Amino acid sequence: MRIIGGKYGSRKIKAKIPPNVRPTTDRVRESMFNILNNLIDFDSIYVLDLFAGTGAFGFESLSRGAAFAQFIEINGRTVALIKNIAQDLNIPKDDFSVIAGDAVKYLNNPHELTHKFNLVFADPPYDNDVYSRLMADLPDSGLLSEDSLIVVEYRTINKLPDSKNLNLISDRIFGDTGFKIFEKVK
């Protein structure tokens, strides 16, 4: 696994990834960020990485100029992994935060919210049936800025539920992995 672009671009993540974590492939992340580069200016944005796993989405965003990344991850070993990767990349402690907890519960109780997020990534475990709650709860969570983009990764054999509060702006499929990019309905 590596950071694709930006100031940490081409840096390999040398951490041991726990067996229950499914990192998004470099190819899928590269395609995702190529699309996002045309939709959003990464400079000084706030990023929320739900179901963070390795934190690759948040780290890629920080590498491209995001001001801050909030990582939400329930697995304690993976929380430690995210912190170790941040340290290996020399990311300043004020530029990120890691919350050990359930991402869906976080949507309904976002702790101390000091800013709204411009970009949200959600990559739940494929066999976890949280997509309906995620798509229903995220738009009303109070976490999104007016111009937020939301990226949801999913297994293509599963149908991603629609949301009346999110407009689909891009949809890509790579084998059994898909991702959709939404904008908040204004």
Side-chain angles (χ1 to χ4, degrees):
M1 191 174 88
R2 67 184 170 91
I3 304 294
I4 307 294
K7 64 183 171 186
Y8 307 121
S10 299
R11 297 262 314 261
K12 292 199 182 240
I13 309 280
K14 298 176 184 168
K16 184 177 180 186
I17 298 170
N20 61 334
V21 175
R22 174 200 38 81
T24 301
T25 65
D26 290 354
R27 179 176 169 235
V28 172
R29 270 188 301 108
E30 185 171 15
S31 174
M32 183 184 296
F33 278 88
N34 284 342
I35 294 167
L36 287 170
N37 278 333
N38 292 317
L39 298 173
I40 194 168
D41 180 1
F42 279 89
D43 191 39
S44 301
I45 65 169
Y46 289 85
V47 176
L48 177 60
D49 192 346
L50 298 168
F51 311 94
T54 62
F57 295 132
F59 292 129
E60 188 73 41
S61 298
L62 288 168
S63 182
R64 293 166 187 257
F68 183 82
Q70 176 74 64
F71 300 93
I72 311 295
E73 175 56 45
I74 197 166
N75 182 307
R77 288 178 57 201
T78 313
V79 166
L81 174 70
I82 293 168
K83 291 176 181 178
N84 289 338
I85 292 170
Q87 185 175 358
D88 288 347
L89 292 172
N90 294 317
I91 296 174
K93 292 183 189 237
D94 291 343
D95 291 357
F96 74 98
S97 176
V98 183
I99 294 177
D102 183 282
V104 175
K105 288 180 182 175
Y106 175 81
L107 296 178
N108 296 306
N109 184 17
H111 306 280
E112 298 173 22
L113 188 62
T114 57
H115 48 262
K116 303 230 182 219
F117 295 100
N118 310 96
L119 181 58
V120 177
F121 294 97
D123 182 12
Y126 282 171
D127 296 325
N128 190 335
D129 189 23
V130 298
Y131 291 99
S132 294
R133 285 193 57 204
L134 174 70
M135 300 298 284
D137 293 352
L138 183 58
D140 297 326
S141 67
L143 294 167
L144 304 177
S145 68
E146 284 301 314
D147 59 349
S148 288
L149 293 179
I150 298 96
V151 181
V152 180
E153 185 174 323
Y154 64 98
R155 182 181 298 180
T156 56
I157 61 170
N158 300 329
K159 184 178 181 330
L160 194 61
D162 293 327
S163 171
K164 65 181 183 204
N165 296 320
L166 298 174
N167 288 326
L168 178 66
I169 57 176
S170 186
D171 185 4
R172 296 292 189 275
I173 294 177
F174 297 84
D176 71 341
T177 298
F179 68 84
K180 293 186 180 198
I181 301 175
F182 300 90
E183 64 183 352
K184 182 179 171 185
V185 173
K186 296 177 170 93

